[in-house]
Amino acid sequence: MITEDARALLSTGAVCDSCLGRPFADRSFGLTNAERGRALRTTVALADDEDFETTAPADCWVCEGYCGTFDAVAETIVDALEGTAFATYQVGTRVPPLVEENERLLREDAGLEPDVGESMKREMNREVGRRVGATTETEVDFDRPDVLAVVDLEGFDPLEALESGTVTSHAVDVQINPAFVYGRYRKLERDIPQTEWPCRECGGSGIQLGDDGEEPCDYCGGSGYLYDTSVEQVVRPHVVDAMDGDEGTFHGAGREDVDARMLEEGRPFVLEVKRPRVRDPDPAELEAEINEAADGAVEVAGLRLATYEMVERVKEHDASKHYRADVEFAESVDEDAFETALAELEGTTVEQYTPERVDHRRAGLTRERTVYAIDGDLRSPTEAEVRLHGEGGLYVKELISSDGGRTEPSLAGLLGTDAEVTALDVTGVEGENEPFEREAYFLDEPRDGSEPATGDA
């Protein structure tokens, strides 16, 4: 019977209302543990016709005063979050081992199951959390909150906190989860990599050892990079600054060759910002700022505030690609042979052994990729433009050249002459079965006001 259990708990010593009510946390939804404990204490006093006496948290042998510090801990968390924008939060607690042992002994001495009710850790998380939410007007999120505040109860003396009404900030560790901006980039000039490309000779330091000691690296001119800029270097600083973050990481939906342009609607990407203090910059203003600074070399479009799921979406979503290539042949090719070769390639699944140009950084494997569609125009007996739509991962340059027989079939092999891609443009990156842009993974409304083109039901 519940009153008998309450008597057993009270007989263990001085127990505060929260600790008394916690073993009955699964009863009477809508009450705090302190309210349950006070009600049980009152019921026992009335039933036994005894004077009503309460126990303050400072005198409780179980929590040792911690259950009276909910307000002070919450205030410390709110102070620690000042200047950080967030919409969702979560509170976690590290409970001292001695207090956890006290909880176990309380139930054991009262003859209760060791896991009955709830733990002090859960109560602290909830009671402090609801106070934080009420003060900041934000919502709790147990899956992926914007901020996580972890309270280490051993970081402060509960009796001092009860007396002063404050808790030292050293007891609270605030973790700010990353924020994400999705968009598509267009690379309008060649010889711009997608991400930073550190110099292989100096390891990105820009320094080499000479006869007189350290001097600028000859290979990169002291910059530390093989290329003057990259899409990442164009985009990242503006997004990080707009979100007042510490650093950023660029995630692209695959990547094009350094010497290839990325045209048309562009390639999907997500910029991940670490420890952002601002989570809601204006995407349109940010987009305009990036494009103005890029001065025509790179453009971004469709920037939107996104959730962390968009990182996996961008990196793992099956995609197909569209290309346009300028091709030179070693010998003259006639129109009929050119058209016949393209017709044979259309719809074909080709076998491609890891190309020679990338075999220093990729495993030697034979991969099968499908050419969905291909056409072209023979501009002269030795020059052509080829347009194709292929499965993600298709090596286009090798489909044209054969890469010394590593790709079969190939345009060069079918024509019986060497062929080389002299200029390559990526003209489309799209999901195989549904678009990259999934509305459930965005935190804002579509900027053009149109219905989102997603795979959502």
Side-chain angles (χ1 to χ4, degrees):
M1 188 173 178
I2 190 170
T3 54
E4 293 302 319
D5 289 339
R7 285 190 181 91
L9 291 166
L10 289 169
S11 69
T12 65
V15 180
C16 71
D17 287 342
S18 289
C19 291
L20 177 59
R22 201 156 50 245
F24 308 98
D26 56 352
R27 290 174 175 264
S28 192
F29 178 78
L31 295 175
T32 66
N33 287 330
E35 289 170 339
R36 291 185 182 93
R38 188 171 183 83
L40 288 168
R41 195 186 304 273
T42 302
T43 299
V44 170
L46 288 171
D48 296 346
D49 193 17
E50 293 181 350
D51 293 341
F52 178 85
E53 294 182 1
T54 189
T55 298
D59 299 321
C60 178
W61 74 268
V62 181
C63 72
E64 299 183 343
Y66 284 113
C67 286
T69 65
F70 297 149
D71 288 336
V73 171
E75 289 176 10
T76 300
I77 292 174
V78 172
D79 289 343
L81 290 170
E82 186 174 0
T84 298
F86 63 100
T88 59
Y89 70 92
Q90 185 180 355
V91 173
T93 307
R94 299 190 188 100
V95 177
L98 181 58
V99 173
E100 291 182 331
E101 177 68 5
N102 290 347
E103 284 210 282
R104 185 187 67 79
L105 290 174
L106 172 67
R107 289 162 173 77
E108 181 180 294
D109 291 350
L112 302 179
E113 293 296 324
D115 58 350
V116 67
E118 70 175 355
S119 66
M120 180 177 160
K121 178 177 182 176
R122 290 192 61 182
E123 181 178 20
M124 180 69 71
N125 291 346
R126 183 183 63 258
E127 292 299 325
V128 172
R130 69 183 182 87
R131 287 164 169 81
V132 170
T135 302
T136 60
E137 298 182 341
T138 55
E139 296 183 358
V140 66
D141 183 343
F142 297 111
D143 294 324
R144 185 79 180 186
D146 294 339
V147 296
L148 168 64
V150 179
V151 183
D152 184 358
L153 297 185
E154 287 190 307
F156 67 95
D157 185 324
L159 300 184
E160 291 181 2
L162 288 172
E163 184 176 346
S164 66
T166 62
V167 169
T168 174
S169 61
H170 297 301
V172 173
D173 178 26
V174 170
Q175 302 171 21
I176 304 175
N177 279 328
F180 306 89
V181 173
Y182 169 86
R184 285 178 176 257
Y185 75 81
R186 295 174 3 121
K187 196 175 73 178
L188 306 178
E189 295 180 3
R190 305 190 189 280
D191 296 323
I192 298 177
Q194 183 189 87
T195 55
E196 293 179 338
W197 200 318
C199 173
R200 65 175 67 96
E201 297 298 319
C202 67
S205 69
I207 298 171
Q208 65 182 14
L209 290 177
D211 295 335
D212 299 324
E214 292 185 348
E215 58 186 33
C217 174
D218 288 337
Y219 199 75
C220 66
S223 70
Y225 297 98
L226 292 182
Y227 296 89
D228 292 337
T229 190
S230 65
V231 176
E232 177 183 21
Q233 288 165 282
V234 168
V235 174
R236 184 184 61 204
H238 299 280
V239 180
V240 172
D241 287 349
M243 290 189 157
D244 193 16
D246 289 350
E247 58 182 312
T249 302
F250 190 96
H251 306 281
R255 63 176 66 218
E256 65 284 336
D257 291 340
V258 173
D259 60 353
R261 295 183 298 181
M262 180 67 243
L263 305 178
E264 302 296 338
E265 293 185 357
R267 184 183 296 273
F269 73 90
V270 172
L271 202 292
E272 177 181 353
V273 179
K274 308 293 178 62
R275 290 189 62 82
R277 263 72 71 178
V278 175
R279 306 188 80 93
D280 58 349
D282 186 313
E285 292 181 3
L286 184 56
E287 186 176 300
E289 178 184 315
I290 293 171
N291 290 338
E292 181 179 0
D295 196 26
V298 173
E299 288 182 355
V300 296
L303 295 192
R304 295 189 64 182
L305 307 179
T307 67
Y308 73 99
E309 288 98 342
M310 277 305 300
V311 174
E312 182 177 359
R313 181 79 165 180
V314 160
K315 296 173 71 172
E316 304 296 335
H317 193 49
D318 290 336
S320 64
K321 318 290 173 58
H322 295 261
Y323 300 89
R324 191 209 65 81
D326 290 337
V327 180
E328 286 189 1
F329 302 110
E331 300 175 6
S332 296
V333 173
D334 66 50
E335 187 77 34
D336 289 343
F338 179 67
E339 294 294 339
T340 298
L342 294 181
E344 289 192 35
L345 287 176
E346 181 153 3
T348 297
T349 297
V350 300
E351 293 186 351
Q352 297 190 301
Y353 188 76
T354 303
E356 187 174 1
R357 63 189 171 93
V358 299
D359 64 3
H360 62 286
R361 64 178 188 269
R362 295 189 181 178
L365 300 171
T366 297
R367 300 170 176 84
E368 292 186 347
R369 295 292 185 268
T370 300
V371 180
Y372 296 140
I374 185 169
D375 64 12
D377 299 306
L378 195 63
R379 294 173 172 171
S380 76
T382 58
E383 296 178 322
E385 177 183 292
V386 174
R387 299 171 295 274
L388 67 94
H389 178 204
E391 183 180 358
L394 175 69
Y395 291 110
V396 175
K397 291 178 179 178
E398 287 67 29
L399 177 69
I400 301 299
S401 70
S402 91
D403 194 27
R406 292 184 178 213
T407 291
E408 292 290 344
S410 67
L411 184 60
L414 293 171
L415 291 173
T417 182
D418 290 343
E420 179 185 3
V421 174
T422 58
L424 181 66
D425 296 329
V426 184
T427 56
V429 178
E430 59 189 34
E432 285 276 12
N433 301 311
E434 63 179 30
F436 278 89
E437 295 80 2
R438 188 167 190 172
E439 198 62 26
Y441 296 163
F442 292 116
L443 298 173
D444 54 11
E445 297 297 324
R447 285 168 48 195
D448 59 6
S450 61
E451 289 295 320
T454 74
D456 294 345

